[in-house]
Amino acid sequence: VAKANGRGTYAFYTHALTERAREMIALESDLHVALHSEQLVVYYQLQRDLRGDFFSGVEALVRWQHPQHGLMAPDRFLPVAQQAGLMPAIDEYVLRHACRQFQTWRASGCALSSLAVNMSGSWLDRGQVVPVVQQVLKETGLPATFLELEITETELMQQDDRCIEVLDSLRALGVRLAIDDFGTGHSSLMRLKRLPVSRLKIDRDFVRGLPGDSNDSAIARAVIALGDSLQLEVLAEGVETAEQEQLLQGFGCGLGQGYLYSRPVPAAELELMQGFL
Ligand code: C2E
Ligand code: MG
Ligand code: MG
Ligand code: MG
């Protein structure tokens, strides 16, 4: 396509590709350094109980305070980490920092009942996740029931059936499991029934169109009904407006997360938020 547009475009195109490749390689080597020098920062976003109107938990979300590029969002560096096989290391870093932080909050009277941490497919894949989670819980003293591990529906569906054993082992530790970005990954209901999960997170793509879009509305209701019948909690992601909240409440959705309640913020900022303690 680029070639058909003439020589200039072609040259520009290859140049752009090399630039991108060069950035990826540079970021990859920076990422190794970042993991050992506390450049990764954990942000936290509150989760709201829509039935009781209180905050019930937080999700830990990684950021990278890069010495040259500034604060980087996960979308910018997780693909690099993925390619470099560094996802398990990042997940472990976030888990350890978040569990430690959550214990500190608990000690100062914070009553939140859950800490959600994202788990990549590659971490689950190698089965290494079980001993690491066990070790981090022991080391930080956080009781397992406070921890919830999230995996995206897409990554979960890419796993073969052996992942069920790993998930069962995590469950046996007392850790809860959630399926992230639910609705985008084509779960088979047969498989879903066999997974030891306790929460579905409706992808924010389906919340964005509420209350106007009738398809999004139908999907949100269907996920909530599915959750009800399988006795799973349902959390709506990306709640930005009071109208969306009201509609979801009306549908019987138990939990919400989104900019309406809080953006992801550093630990110190979360502590200043009303309703946190
Ligand atoms: P996610 O786990 O689905 O997290 C929710 C994302 O939606 C976060 O983006 C959050 O900032 C954003 N968000 C929350 N509320 C709203 C809202 O009301 N409106 C909009 N437009 N966005 C909202 P973030 O922090 O950029 O993270 C992106 C993704 O990167 C996460 O999606 C997750 O899949 C991945 N990620 C982040 N941290 C980690 C980690 O430690 N490990 C792994 N494996 N993945 C991570
Ligand atoms: Mg998540
Ligand atoms: Mg999500
Ligand atoms: Mg997502």
Side-chain angles (χ1 to χ4, degrees), residues 234-250:
V234 177
L235 178 148
E237 300 190 279
V239 180
E240 294 185 355
T241 69
E243 290 73 30
Q244 292 172 334
E245 179 189 60
Q246 249 171 23
L247 194 73
L248 288 160
Q249 261 167 342

Side-chain angles (χ1 to χ4, degrees), residues 106-143:
R106 277 183 6 101
S108 53
C110 158
L112 297 178
S113 57
S114 80
L115 166 68
V117 175
N118 293 283
M119 163 171 69
S120 61
S122 53
W123 202 21
L124 189 64
D125 212 14
R126 298 179 204 171
Q128 271 306 310
V129 62
V130 182
V132 171
V133 168
Q134 205 165 11
Q135 166 64 29
V136 169
L137 291 174
K138 193 174 145 200
E139 173 187 310
T140 59
L142 181 71

Side-chain angles (χ1 to χ4, degrees), residues 90-107:
I90 291 179
D91 287 347
E92 178 174 345
Y93 180 104
V94 173
L95 177 74
R96 179 167 283 111
H97 283 72
C99 287
R100 208 182 281 151
Q101 180 62 67
F102 199 78
Q103 273 296 69
T104 306
W105 284 333
R106 277 183 6 101

Side-chain angles (χ1 to χ4, degrees), residues 75 152 180-181 203-204 237:
D75 291 348
T152 66
D180 208 346
D181 302 352
D203 192 77
R204 74 163 186 271
E237 300 190 279

Side-chain angles (χ1 to χ4, degrees), residues 113-115 119 124 127 129-131 133-134 137 143-151 156 162-179 192-199 230-233:
S113 57
S114 80
L115 166 68
M119 163 171 69
L124 189 64
V129 62
V130 182
V133 168
Q134 205 165 11
L137 291 174
T145 50
F146 286 94
L147 182 64
E148 178 167 75
L149 293 173
E150 303 187 348
I151 180 160
L156 190 56
R162 275 175 306 177
C163 85
I164 297 178
E165 257 172 70
V166 179
L167 295 176
D168 281 335
S169 309
L170 287 171
R171 192 67 202 97
L173 292 179
V175 171
R176 282 164 300 129
L177 301 163
I179 305 186
L192 193 58
K193 205 180 71 175
R194 289 166 57 205
L195 295 172
V197 299
S198 55
R199 181 180 289 185
L230 294 177
Q231 290 181 303
L232 304 174
E233 291 179 315

